């Protein structure tokens, strides 16, 4: 078996994005363009992936940290063939192999078709091949010129093309297959004698053609998916394509999605059939939503697990949270990282939770902050309850048992424990542990002064 090696070219500046962020780090439905591409390339099972970085090299390298890829830095960037020259040493170490070269900005490339071309190329005697596509408007692309037998003979860039050559609608997609080490003798012959004064990678094709004709091309069947993302407009179009395909798949699997054109669901999300997703919702990251759940409008769910039968009501923000079965969350609820609820839990409007472990059947229906807290089962947290978990320096924990009743407007100054079955009177500030089964109350006794209003009026004349 010959080795499969993939080279991703991502050193360019991406000028047309008009952005401070390197082009390949703009996100496409929640993940950087380059990460989406690398993840899809991994499906081809290559022995090695090398990414050529240059512009903002350090930031791009950092974004690739979690992938099994090598990087090489191309500085300065003298053209696409120069990018290949920069990686030459690493490629030569691999001995014999089939090299796939792709630009870093084609995250939607149809990977199955690419895999098929890869196999055909591998089994052929060609030294190099490219994927061409037909475009109604080929402006800006390298035109693919063929000989009388229909074999690729040369690629000519827009800026170097004659008016006659410019009428060609078949263009170079910028995806190549090459045999190593055979390719290197031709690479040495590439010059910068062209309009842009760059080392053009497509020049390899005419060099090989002239020597032995061992070049070829494959025709990509879905042109728009081979096109790179070069501008904000193209990014938004690619993102829309991916969004529609994610939603289409979920619909086909039995998820109900109302007004799907208003719904944002990222590719890593799993939603089981029988769940209902309402208009204007956003579901992101590694979220899992089980059957029988309903997500109401204007809610956002990020990296969370929502178990069977749970309803996330309007305007809620659920992040890094695990919600149990048959819970009612929201409207206007915000759960933050480390929130874990049991089953049949209710968190109502304007309740914020963080690192909160909440047992089965417990409720906080209105206006609360529950942070760094463990709450048992069937406990009722009254409106306006606050866990005072921060002393200015440290985060401190509150523990509340089962079947506890916490009256409205209670503050629990952590660290503090409330035993099972305890009652806390409304308006209480808890600063000491409350033993099991007891009532805690800390309020100034109420005093009524009869006739006070009448006297006041008289005083004031
Ligand atoms: C290139 C092709 C063109 C093809 C088009 C398809 C050349 C000379 N032309 O043109 O035939 O139709 O792609 O999109 O190759 N890069 C580097 N280092 C460099 C220069 C570029 O890594 O020194 C990377 C870029 O980051 C980009 C890719 O190579 O990902 C393509 O470069 P780009 O400048 O966009 O080439 P095009 O002019 O689009
Ligand atoms: Ca390009």
């Amino acid at each position: 078996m010959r080795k499969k090696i993939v080279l991703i070219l991502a050193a360019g500046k991406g000028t047309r994005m008009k952005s401070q962020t390197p082009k390949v780090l703009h996100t496409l439905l929640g993940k950087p363009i380059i990460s989406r591409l690398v993840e899809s390339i991994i499906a081809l099972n290559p022995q090695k992936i090398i990414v050529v970085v240059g512009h903002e090299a350090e930031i791009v390298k950092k974004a690739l940290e979690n992938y099994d890829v090598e990087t090489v830095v191309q500085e300065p960037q003298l053209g696409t063939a120069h990018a290949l020259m920069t990686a030459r040493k690493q490629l030569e170490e691999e001995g014999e192999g089939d090299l796939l070269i792709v630009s870093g900005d084609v995250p939607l490339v149809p990977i199955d078709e690419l895999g098929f071309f890869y196999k055909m190329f591998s089994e052929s005697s060609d030294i190099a091949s490219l994927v061409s596509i037909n475009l109604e408007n080929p402006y800006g692309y390298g035109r693919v010129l063929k000989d009388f037998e229909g074999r690729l003979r040369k690629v000519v860039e827009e800026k170097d093309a004659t008016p006659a050559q410019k009428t060609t609608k078949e263009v170079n997609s910028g995806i190549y297959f090459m045999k190593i080490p055979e390719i290197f003798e031709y690479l040495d012959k590439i010059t910068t004698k062209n309009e842009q004064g760059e080392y053009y990678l497509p020049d390899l094709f005419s060099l090989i053609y002239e020597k032995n004709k061992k070049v070829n091309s494959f025709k990509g069947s879905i042109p728009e998916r081979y096109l790179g993302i070069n501008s904000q407009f193209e990014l938004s179009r690619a993102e829309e394509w991916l969004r529609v395909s994610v939603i289409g798949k979920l619909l086909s699997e039995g998820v109900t999605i109302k007004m799907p054109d208003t719904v944002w669901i990222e590719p890593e999300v799993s939603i089981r059939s029988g769940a209902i997703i309402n208009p204007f919702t956003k579901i992101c990251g590694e979220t899992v939503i089980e059957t029988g759940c309903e997500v109401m409008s204007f809610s956002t769910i990020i990296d969370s697990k929502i178990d069977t039968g749970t309803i996330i009501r309007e305007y809620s923000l659920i992040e890094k949270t695990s919600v149990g079965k048959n819970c009612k969350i929201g409207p206007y609820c915000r759960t933050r990282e480390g929130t874990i609820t049991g089953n049949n839990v209710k968190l109502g409007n304007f309740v914020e939770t963080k690192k909160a472990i909440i047992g089965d059947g417990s409720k906080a229906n209105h206006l609360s902050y529950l942070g760094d807290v463990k709450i048992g089962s069937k406990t009722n947290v009254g409106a306006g309850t606050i866990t005072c978990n921060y002393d200015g320096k440290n985060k401190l924990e509150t523990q509340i048992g089962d079947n506890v009743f916490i009256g409205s407007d209670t503050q629990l100054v952590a660290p503090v424990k409330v035993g099972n079955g305890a009652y806390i009177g409304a308006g209480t500030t808890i600063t000491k542990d409350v033993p099991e089964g007891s009532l805690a109350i800390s309020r100034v006794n109420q005093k009524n002064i009869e006739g006070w209003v009448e006297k006041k009026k008289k005083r004031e004349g």
Side-chain angles (χ1 to χ4, degrees):
M1 270 292 276
R2 292 170 61 85
K3 275 190 192 160
K4 270 190 197 172
I5 300 150
V6 179
L7 187 68
I8 299 176
L9 307 185
K13 198 158 174 219
T15 315
R16 281 170 285 170
M17 293 298 281
K18 300 189 179 159
S19 157
Q20 308 303 317
T21 308
K23 175 164 90 173
V24 293
L25 295 191
H26 282 79
T27 58
L28 183 74
L29 217 56
K31 257 192 199 179
I33 291 172
I34 189 88
S35 311
R36 294 238 171 266
L37 176 68
V38 167
E39 286 177 14
S40 123
I41 291 292
I42 286 169
L44 295 173
N45 277 317
Q47 271 78 36
K48 189 175 273 210
I49 301 175
I50 304 172
V51 184
V52 182
V53 295
H55 176 70
E56 299 279 17
E58 289 313 309
I59 308 175
V60 179
K61 270 192 199 173
K62 184 133 188 39
L64 291 167
E65 239 169 31
N66 295 327
Y67 298 100
D68 186 13
V69 300
E70 288 179 10
T71 52
V72 293
V73 180
Q74 182 198 13
E75 192 57 64
Q77 294 107 42
L78 304 178
T80 43
H82 180 251
L84 175 57
M85 293 169 196
T86 310
R88 178 167 180 166
K89 205 169 138 270
Q90 260 142 308
L91 293 170
E92 277 176 336
E93 281 166 14
E94 297 301 317
E96 288 194 343
D98 297 321
L99 179 65
L100 163 63
I101 305 181
V102 294
S103 297
D105 63 359
V106 289
L108 300 180
V109 66
I111 206 70
D112 293 344
E113 184 168 85
L114 206 59
F116 173 67
F117 293 158
Y118 207 165
K119 185 164 182 291
M120 300 238 289
F121 172 73
S122 197
E123 288 164 2
S124 76
S125 59
D126 298 324
I127 294 174
S129 191
L130 58 77
V131 180
S132 73
I133 47 177
N134 276 9
L135 291 183
E136 227 9 79
N137 176 13
Y139 179 80
Y141 290 88
R143 308 297 202 281
V144 168
L145 308 179
K146 304 248 172 105
D147 66 13
F148 290 115
E149 292 165 10
R151 182 175 290 269
L152 188 153
R153 145 176 94 76
K154 187 182 171 84
V155 177
V156 50
E157 295 303 307
E158 176 78 35
K159 289 186 176 144
D160 305 287
T162 64
Q165 289 168 336
K166 281 183 187 166
T167 62
T168 309
K169 294 199 156 116
E170 186 173 357
V171 306
N172 168 22
S173 72
I175 295 179
Y176 312 92
F177 301 98
M178 294 182 182
K179 299 255 159 72
I180 44 178
E182 289 86 333
I183 201 71
F184 295 124
E185 73 169 274
Y186 302 94
L187 192 62
D188 289 334
K189 294 189 185 133
I190 293 185
T191 69
T192 56
K193 283 183 204 142
N194 53 54
E195 267 307 301
Q196 304 187 78
E198 287 182 7
Y199 293 96
Y200 287 171
L201 191 53
D203 282 359
L204 277 172
F205 288 84
S206 49
L207 290 168
I208 303 169
Y209 180 85
E210 279 154 25
K211 185 154 180 208
N212 52 33
K213 295 194 177 179
K214 287 187 174 177
V215 286
N216 221 324
S217 62
F218 299 106
K219 183 70 74 65
S221 66
I222 321 165
E224 54 277 22
R225 292 184 57 190
Y226 284 94
L227 294 179
I229 293 172
N230 293 302
S231 63
Q232 300 284 355
F233 179 72
E234 287 169 7
L235 173 61
S236 76
R237 274 214 317 213
E239 193 160 62
E240 183 58 9
W241 184 90
L242 185 58
R243 191 190 66 80
V244 168
S245 84
V246 168
I247 291 210
K249 182 165 178 284
L250 291 168
L251 290 169
S252 75
E253 290 167 355
V255 177
T256 301
I257 304 176
K258 305 286 187 189
M259 279 173 71
D261 283 352
T262 68
V263 172
W264 170 287
I265 302 177
E266 295 178 357
E268 290 71 29
V269 169
S270 319
I271 307 181
R272 312 281 179 242
S273 75
I276 302 172
I277 309 299
N278 282 290
F280 300 101
T281 46
K282 200 169 175 199
I283 306 175
C284 309
E286 310 270 340
T287 293
V288 178
I289 298 180
E290 295 292 345
T291 188
C293 290
E294 180 158 5
V295 182
M296 309 292 246
S297 297
F298 305 103
S299 290
T300 296
I301 305 179
I302 304 165
D303 293 325
S304 295
K305 182 172 176 358
I306 314 295
D307 212 338
T308 314
T310 282
I311 300 182
I312 307 293
R313 296 196 55 201
E314 288 84 347
Y315 295 95
S316 296
L317 172 56
I318 309 300
E319 202 168 350
K320 297 194 171 128
T321 292
S322 167
V323 185
K325 296 189 173 75
N326 301 313
C327 296
K328 286 199 172 65
I329 309 295
Y332 299 99
C333 181
R334 178 180 182 204
T335 66
R336 292 162 52 198
E337 77 280 1
T339 299
I340 301 173
T341 89
N343 303 327
N344 302 304
V345 166
K346 278 190 187 169
L347 299 175
N349 27 232
F350 305 104
V351 171
E352 175 183 348
T353 63
K354 187 215 72 178
K355 284 197 188 149
I357 300 175
I358 304 172
D360 291 349
S362 287
K363 294 173 192 165
N365 276 330
H366 335 263
L367 302 157
S368 280
Y369 173 62
L370 303 172
D372 301 289
V373 63
K374 285 197 184 104
I375 301 176
S377 59
K378 294 198 173 142
T379 281
N380 187 76
V381 178
T385 297
I386 293 172
T387 52
C388 311
N389 60 334
Y390 187 50
D391 64 4
K393 269 191 186 153
N394 302 303
K395 291 287 162 69
L396 303 159
E397 202 185 75
T398 301
Q399 288 182 29
I400 301 170
D402 302 331
N403 297 301
V404 172
F405 177 90
I406 301 177
S408 297
D409 195 27
T410 292
Q411 300 94 50
L412 299 130
V413 182
V416 76
K417 280 185 195 160
V418 181
N420 292 338
Y423 267 64
I424 298 175
T428 294
T429 302
I430 296 290
T431 50
K432 294 185 291 200
D433 290 355
V434 182
E436 186 169 337
S438 38
L439 168 70
I441 187 155
S442 76
R443 322 176 177 132
V444 177
N445 283 336
Q446 182 173 336
K447 190 161 91 179
N448 292 339
I449 304 173
E450 284 182 30
W452 184 89
V453 176
E454 234 1 76
K455 280 186 200 159
K456 179 175 184 280
K457 275 187 195 152
K458 275 191 191 148
R459 260 205 319 273
E460 289 167 355

